Amino acid sequence: MAETLLEKVWRAHTVRTLPSGQTQLLIGLHLVHEVTSPQAFQMLREAGLKVRFPDRTFATIDHIVPTASQRRPFGDLLAEEMTVHLVRNCREFGIPLFDLDSGRQGIVHVIGPELGLTQPGMTIACGDSHTSTHGALGALAFGIGTSQVRDVLASQCLALSKPRIRQIRVEGGLARGVYAKDVILAIINRLGVKGGVGYAYEYAGSAVEAMSMEERLTICNMSVEAGARLGYVNPDATTFAYLKGRPFAPPGEVFDRAVAWWRGMATDPGAPFDDVARLDAQAIQPMVTWGINPGQSVGVGERLPHPSQAPEPDRPAWEEALAFMAFDPGRPVAGIPIDVAFIGSCTNARLSDLRAAAEVVRGRKVARAVRALVVPGSQAVAAAAEREGLHEIFLEAGFEWRKAGCSLCLGMNEDKLQGREVCASSSNRNFKGRQGSPTGRTLLMSPAMVAAAAVTGSVADVRELLR
Amino acid sequence: MNQEDVRRQITGRAIPVPGNDIDTDRIIPARYLKSVTFEGLEEHVFGDDRRQSPGHPFNQARYRGARVLVVGQNFGCGSSREHAPEALRRWGIRGIVGGSFGEIFFGNCVALGIPCLTVHPEDNGWLLEAVARQPEQEVLLDVEQRRVRCGERTLPAGIPDGPRTLFLTGTWDATRVLLDAGEAIDRAAKGLPYVSGY
Ligand code: SF4
């Protein structure tokens, strides 16, 4: 019978069916970072347990690292303490850590694929909701809480119920100036921020097949913003070419045998889905969020909605969002002035993202009164960008060029919005308070759109700057 | 089974937090995550929301001591931080009822022994108003019978079979259960080409 990747990977990792009816699922790769793990290690210690498969567990440090200078000890003593704990926990339990001096440190969802740790057909867990990112390579990857981090450390397993599956077919070509970020924002706008609860999303269709691995990572990253705990793209030639030669990818001829297995894990033609949704790629324009959840967005050529246009149950949420943002309903989204421009995060801080932004920035200057920063997703991305001279383009325009980390995506380090500042951001969440100021305002968009906003001083249609 | 861990019913006074899509960044803002323990999180539950609106339910004395939290749709969406349900638990919340829940949040609540029940949108609206009107009345979350009682009314409520069984059998703390699989874990791992070699 024709099966989906979800079915095949789930079965391959099933240890047993639990008395509760849930599946005990083996986790092939466990990624750890400093914020959601210290309590888990402590619980392990208190229970006298060891890490069951330390060689299937990898750690990095990303959320709290300063990005101006990464010299230890950090000025922020709490951040320093968390780092000390992570280093100590990794040493005590025998877990490899991509520390700041490794050249491999970066945002956990950037380095997993980049190092070739993330592979097709795997199950991947991490104490971080954007673990869905890794599904871009054809893995089942999902975020877990700290108690589950403890469970995976102790047993390499989780107790889970299999999700239903919705295929999202995006067909056709994307217009110039329209990127993967716009596609996923359009999907979330259409299906809603809780439309994916209980589902895994399989992204397919000619537009997705034509995407590079980095674009697919952007799409899968925001599955969780659509309510879906996991999202994936079937592994194909693009996936295999991306993995070849990466540090943790299978070497030499083993690689060819791996490809054969990976291919076999992809969804079979004619496999059944619980639901299918379709989007026309050509109809998607650059997207901008205007509210406080990632589903509240419009095309850059459109106007902000009136709450009266909202479907009944969403009306209070739209009113709350517009009040918080202090934007007039009905005004064009283009032209909204910004204070900060942030290019970074596990959604959009890979090399292709920085290239797309640099293409817009080249030969232009950051608008006066705009604070603009580029925070590469990993040390490797930073190094590759510097080899191409991208950092010079940004610096010349007036951007700050930072070290790798999560930074302004969630404001756990020094990079925060101040007061009511408006930030054009390439990250994934526009929640109230997300960027470090309780009253700060976030407009999500593609990195090229952030670059356009940075150089014009307000939300602008990047397509006009690319002409 | 540990009898203390069985969660058949939760009773207590309730606190309503209306609104949809309340994410975990709002339940506990990121700056309070800068700690290697969960201690003291209860002080910061809904920290920013409470500061911005003095009338926030978690600021109101009449809800103090509540054990049941009543919420709207998609509560706990967003970040996987277990700090969110931990903060609620440490504040005193033992059970939650609402329209729907973010999936990771729901799982984190299971891991902490906090049942989350769902009710029909109309009943959800009624319940939010009822507990705001009469905060002193007891609300019953019945995990076993899948219902919620408030005053004279009994509402049908939902909880998936798996988590319900975990609560009724007191086995929601998964570590032991998972470790019970013993060598089956190693066998499953060996069966995977990427573990054993392609
Ligand atoms: S970049 Fe942002 S969303 Fe991604 S892992 Fe870091 S904090 Fe989370």
Side-chain angles (χ1 to χ4, degrees):
Chain A
M1 210 188 81
E3 286 183 314
T4 61
L5 178 143
L6 171 68
E7 294 288 341
K8 296 184 202 182
V9 177
W10 193 274
R11 192 176 49 239
H13 292 80
T14 295
V15 175
R16 59 175 180 150
T17 301
L18 295 165
S20 65
Q22 291 181 305
T23 306
Q24 177 161 355
L25 198 72
L26 190 84
I27 299 303
L29 174 66
H30 185 199
L31 301 169
V32 169
H33 67 75
E34 75 280 12
V35 176
T36 55
S37 69
Q39 299 87 348
F41 283 112
Q42 189 53 29
M43 295 185 227
L44 220 57
R45 228 175 254 123
E46 281 162 15
L49 295 167
K50 287 214 275 284
V51 174
R52 182 103 178 195
F53 287 89
D55 54 338
R56 305 223 61 83
T57 312
F58 296 86
T60 187
I61 164 167
D62 51 9
H63 283 66
I64 53 90
V65 288
T67 58
S69 152
Q70 296 187 328
R71 195 157 320 130
R72 300 272 308 274
F74 300 147
D76 176 348
L77 295 180
L78 291 175
E80 177 62 24
E81 188 192 2
M82 295 185 84
T83 309
V84 167
H85 274 259
L86 182 72
V87 172
R88 191 190 299 152
N89 288 332
C90 287
R91 198 172 298 145
E92 178 180 337
F93 290 96
I95 295 169
L97 165 67
F98 302 114
D99 206 347
L100 290 166
D101 56 9
S102 66
R104 291 179 166 181
Q105 171 268 343
I107 305 171
V108 62
H109 313 308
V110 174
I111 67 166
E114 179 177 271
L115 291 170
L117 287 167
T118 303
Q119 294 171 17
M122 276 185 171
T123 49
I124 302 177
C126 171
D128 194 285
S129 58
H130 291 101
T131 307
S132 61
T133 312
H134 305 258
L137 286 98
L140 298 184
F142 41 82
I144 55 178
T146 297
S147 295
Q148 290 176 313
V149 171
R150 169 204 61 197
D151 293 344
V152 181
L153 289 171
S155 70
Q156 201 66 24
C157 292
L158 285 170
L160 292 169
S161 306
K162 189 166 65 180
R164 286 177 290 172
I165 181 152
R166 172 179 293 140
Q167 190 187 45
I168 300 177
R169 302 194 64 85
V170 190
E171 305 282 3
L174 294 175
R176 177 153 162 81
V178 179
Y179 304 86
K181 179 66 157 286
D182 303 307
V183 174
I184 188 63
L185 284 172
I187 290 171
I188 299 168
N189 181 277
R190 162 91 82 79
L191 300 175
V193 291
K194 65 176 165 67
V197 173
Y199 282 95
Y201 277 1
E202 175 178 303
Y203 302 99
S206 58
V208 175
E209 284 160 21
M211 282 183 187
S212 70
M213 193 47 58
E214 296 196 354
E215 293 175 289
R216 296 176 186 182
L217 288 162
T218 300
I219 300 268
C220 290
N221 175 269
M222 290 187 74
S223 302
V224 69
E225 257 57 69
R229 194 171 182 180
L230 57 150
Y232 68 84
V233 177
N234 281 302
D236 62 6
T238 303
T239 320
F240 311 142
Y242 173 89
L243 277 171
K244 198 162 183 128
R246 302 221 167 234
F248 289 88
E253 330 164 347
V254 187
F255 189 84
D256 300 331
R257 290 202 294 276
V259 167
W261 188 71
W262 294 341
R263 238 187 251 291
M265 299 311 269
T267 294
D268 300 320
F273 295 94
D274 296 298
D275 188 36
V276 178
R278 290 189 168 77
L279 261 86
D280 174 10
Q282 263 121 345
I284 299 172
Q285 49 170 314
M287 300 289 288
V288 182
T289 64
W290 50 264
I292 52 172
N293 78 48
Q296 295 170 328
S297 61
V298 288
V300 67
E302 295 171 359
R303 294 170 177 274
L304 305 194
H306 282 277
S308 60
Q309 294 165 254
E312 184 63 55
D314 290 341
R315 200 163 298 162
W318 286 29
E319 278 165 2
E320 181 191 358
L322 286 164
F324 179 84
M325 298 301 280
F327 295 153
D328 294 328
R331 69 150 294 163
V333 70
I336 291 178
I338 65 150
D339 306 295
V340 179
F342 171 59
I343 296 172
S345 90
C346 56
T347 317
N348 280 128
R350 299 180 185 83
L351 187 59
S352 57
D353 300 315
L354 304 192
R355 282 181 185 153
E359 187 185 354
V360 177
V361 166
R362 188 192 297 272
R364 297 189 165 101
K365 292 275 182 227
V366 171
R368 270 207 340 201
V370 171
R371 182 154 58 93
L373 59 160
V374 182
V375 184
S378 68
Q379 293 179 338
V381 169
E386 285 172 12
R387 276 196 298 275
E388 289 182 18
L390 298 183
H391 65 309
E392 279 161 9
I393 297 174
F394 287 116
L395 285 167
E396 215 149 278
F399 276 85
E400 296 174 43
W401 178 254
R402 297 293 190 83
K403 308 270 188 238
C406 294
S407 174
L408 194 52
C409 176
L410 90 165
M412 273 191 85
N413 68 353
E414 288 77 2
D415 308 328
K416 296 182 204 302
L417 297 187
Q418 306 297 325
R420 295 285 284 148
E421 279 181 336
V422 174
C423 179
S425 179
S426 73
S427 56
N428 45 38
R429 284 187 175 144
N430 52 348
F431 298 155
K432 284 184 182 176
R434 173 70 181 184
Q435 292 191 287
S437 162
T439 52
R441 295 171 285 177
T442 304
L443 309 179
L444 302 177
M445 56 189 86
S446 74
M449 282 285 288
V450 174
V455 298
T456 60
S458 56
V459 175
D461 190 338
V462 67
R463 292 171 297 187
E464 284 164 19
L465 278 77
L466 286 171
R467 270 189 202 132
Chain B
M1 181 200 309
N2 190 342
Q3 279 304 327
E4 278 169 28
D5 291 340
V6 173
R7 302 275 189 273
R8 231 173 247 122
Q9 297 183 332
I10 311 287
T11 40
R13 288 185 294 111
I15 176 169
V17 176
N20 297 339
D21 307 318
I22 293 181
D23 56 78
T24 52
D25 273 81
R26 277 170 71 183
I27 300 171
I28 188 84
R31 60 183 178 284
Y32 303 120
L33 273 46
K34 248 193 230 174
S35 169
V36 294
T37 72
F38 288 133
E39 267 155 48
L41 278 179
E42 64 279 10
E43 286 167 37
H44 305 296
V45 66
F46 292 108
D48 290 342
D49 282 11
R50 283 162 72 184
R51 216 158 301 124
Q52 282 163 37
S53 60
H56 192 279
F58 274 76
N59 284 339
Q60 297 186 33
R62 60 195 191 124
Y63 295 123
R64 218 164 281 149
R67 287 160 56 86
V68 172
L69 175 64
V70 187
V71 298
Q73 297 283 343
N74 202 25
F75 184 78
C77 60
S79 156
S80 66
R81 60 190 68 166
E82 197 163 305
H83 305 69
E86 266 288 353
L88 291 168
R89 191 180 68 84
R90 285 164 186 263
W91 189 88
I93 298 300
R94 294 294 175 266
I96 312 181
V97 52
S100 62
F101 297 93
E103 225 169 311
I104 305 179
F105 177 85
F106 182 95
N108 286 342
C109 284
V110 172
L112 296 179
I114 305 171
C116 295
L117 272 62
T118 54
V119 287
H120 188 272
E122 274 162 31
D123 292 342
N124 192 192
W126 176 83
L127 190 62
L128 280 163
E129 281 167 24
V131 297
R133 243 187 343 260
Q134 275 189 294
E136 65 284 355
Q137 70 187 332
E138 295 253 308
V139 173
L140 166 78
L141 305 190
D142 193 331
V143 178
E144 189 166 25
Q145 303 296 328
R146 288 193 166 107
R147 60 189 183 194
V148 171
R149 204 175 66 219
C150 174
E152 297 298 294
R153 281 187 69 176
T154 301
L155 315 171
I159 181 166
D161 292 337
R164 175 173 170 273
T165 308
L166 299 178
F167 287 126
L168 296 184
T169 54
T171 52
W172 42 268
D173 186 348
T175 317
R176 288 287 153 202
V177 177
L178 294 170
L179 284 171
D180 277 347
E183 284 173 11
I185 298 174
D186 305 292
R187 276 199 302 278
K190 277 206 200 83
L192 290 165
Y194 66 85
V195 176
S196 54
Y198 288 97

